[in-house]
Amino acid sequence: MSLALNPVAFDLGPIQVKWYGILMATGVLVATLMAINEGKKRQIMPDDFIDFLLWAVPIGFIGARIYYVVFEWGYFSQHPDQIIAIWNGGIAIYGGLIAGLIVLLVFCHQRMLPPFLMLDIIAPGVMAAQVIARWGNFMNQEAHGGPVTRQFLENLYLPEFIIEQMNINGTYYHPTFLYESLWSLLGFVLIVTIRNRKQLLRQGEVALSYVLWYSVGRFFIEGMRTDSLWIGEWIRVSQALSLALFIGAIVV
């Protein structure tokens, strides 16, 4: 019998507040506080980050949904009423990051702020947010990989609550959410460690290091997942984009 955790944290009358939303909000808060703290060292005002957040978060969610809908258009073209039904699931982090980048470029232009400096300040916080938010997928028992045995999970020395949460309808699955969370955590530690080393990185290279690190991990982890968006039947969207971002970041 599966001992899955309840994805609902608590009820507010008819409204269910889910752990997924709480963890995502926590990630955004952590990223914002980190950016404000680092921004003070770089002569960027806290209000600039707050104002950016007010635009980037809602537009980022819209971008994440549009990205998902575009690559699942075969379904949504037949069910247009489901396009806005985000409460049924269906957002993609790459779509949110792309939308957030567009907002940042426009915002920096209007405020006359250096975009690469802003990206350097924000990137580590985004990575920390990803570490936290992936556990929302864990609570929802989603974004997992293919079937494995319980023995395989025990051999990873995972705690019992993770093993049981990966038991979905009697089948155990790869905890790819955990792989990505740990990969992002390691990248976060490395980037935060090196970013303050004088004369080691030029402006923009913290952000580019984040892109390089995340795209490598996502490329391989995406290959394990069972819920990927596809281009035709031959390549996963996130793997293609990860490869393009990796090459692009090296070129830049």
Side-chain angles (χ1 to χ4, degrees):
M1 182 180 71
S2 175
L3 301 175
L5 300 172
N6 190 346
V8 178
F10 56 87
D11 295 325
L12 287 176
I15 301 174
Q16 290 186 328
V17 179
K18 296 188 176 183
W19 284 110
Y20 184 84
I22 292 174
L23 289 165
M24 289 194 71
T26 301
V28 171
L29 177 61
V30 168
T32 303
L33 294 176
M34 286 184 59
I36 289 174
N37 182 64
E38 183 65 19
K40 290 176 180 177
K41 303 175 185 176
R42 310 291 185 94
Q43 287 74 54
I44 305 292
M45 298 297 294
D47 283 352
D48 288 322
F49 294 106
I50 299 298
D51 292 344
F52 168 70
L53 178 72
L54 293 175
W55 286 99
V57 170
I59 293 176
F61 272 107
I62 292 171
R65 181 60 171 180
I66 291 174
Y67 184 99
Y68 182 85
V69 169
V70 166
F71 290 105
E72 287 285 350
W73 186 243
Y75 170 80
F76 286 105
S77 63
Q78 302 299 316
H79 304 86
D81 59 306
Q82 293 297 306
I83 291 176
I84 63 171
I86 195 170
W87 49 88
N88 291 331
I91 59 174
I93 187 171
Y94 267 140
L97 292 174
I98 292 169
L101 176 61
I102 294 171
V103 172
L104 179 74
L105 294 176
V106 173
F107 183 84
C108 288
H109 177 73
Q110 292 182 336
R111 294 289 179 95
M112 293 184 291
L113 295 169
F116 271 119
L117 176 59
M118 287 288 286
L119 285 169
D120 280 348
I121 294 171
I122 292 170
V126 172
M127 187 169 276
Q130 289 174 279
V131 173
I132 297 167
R134 275 301 174 196
W135 287 84
N137 297 131
F138 166 72
M139 294 301 299
N140 283 352
Q141 293 184 306
E142 62 189 10
H144 56 70
V148 294
T149 64
R150 179 182 175 88
Q151 185 63 47
F152 173 86
L153 297 177
E154 290 176 348
N155 289 342
L156 296 179
Y157 299 101
L158 299 177
E160 185 66 19
F161 79 95
I162 292 180
I163 293 175
E164 283 303 323
Q165 192 70 356
M166 289 296 97
N167 179 3
I168 304 172
N169 297 324
T171 302
Y172 291 94
Y173 291 92
H174 267 295
T176 46
F177 87 91
L178 178 63
Y179 304 158
E180 187 167 326
S181 181
L182 292 177
W183 178 257
S184 295
L185 177 60
L186 179 58
F188 169 78
V189 172
L190 290 173
I191 288 174
V192 170
T193 300
I194 67 174
R195 74 173 176 180
N196 293 322
R197 299 273 183 95
K198 292 183 178 180
Q199 298 180 341
L200 181 61
L201 297 176
R202 291 176 292 179
Q203 191 173 109
E205 290 184 342
V206 168
L208 292 171
S209 297
Y210 158 72
V211 173
L212 288 168
W213 184 270
Y214 181 72
S215 61
V216 168
R218 183 61 185 269
F219 181 88
F220 289 104
I221 294 169
E222 187 69 23
M224 303 180 193
R225 287 177 55 168
T226 60
D227 61 342
S228 299
L229 299 173
W230 290 80
I231 300 175
E233 298 180 356
W234 58 282
I235 187 168
R236 290 174 167 89
V237 174
S238 289
Q239 285 188 311
L241 185 55
S242 293
L243 184 58
L245 287 172
F246 181 82
I247 294 172
I250 289 178
V251 171
V252 173

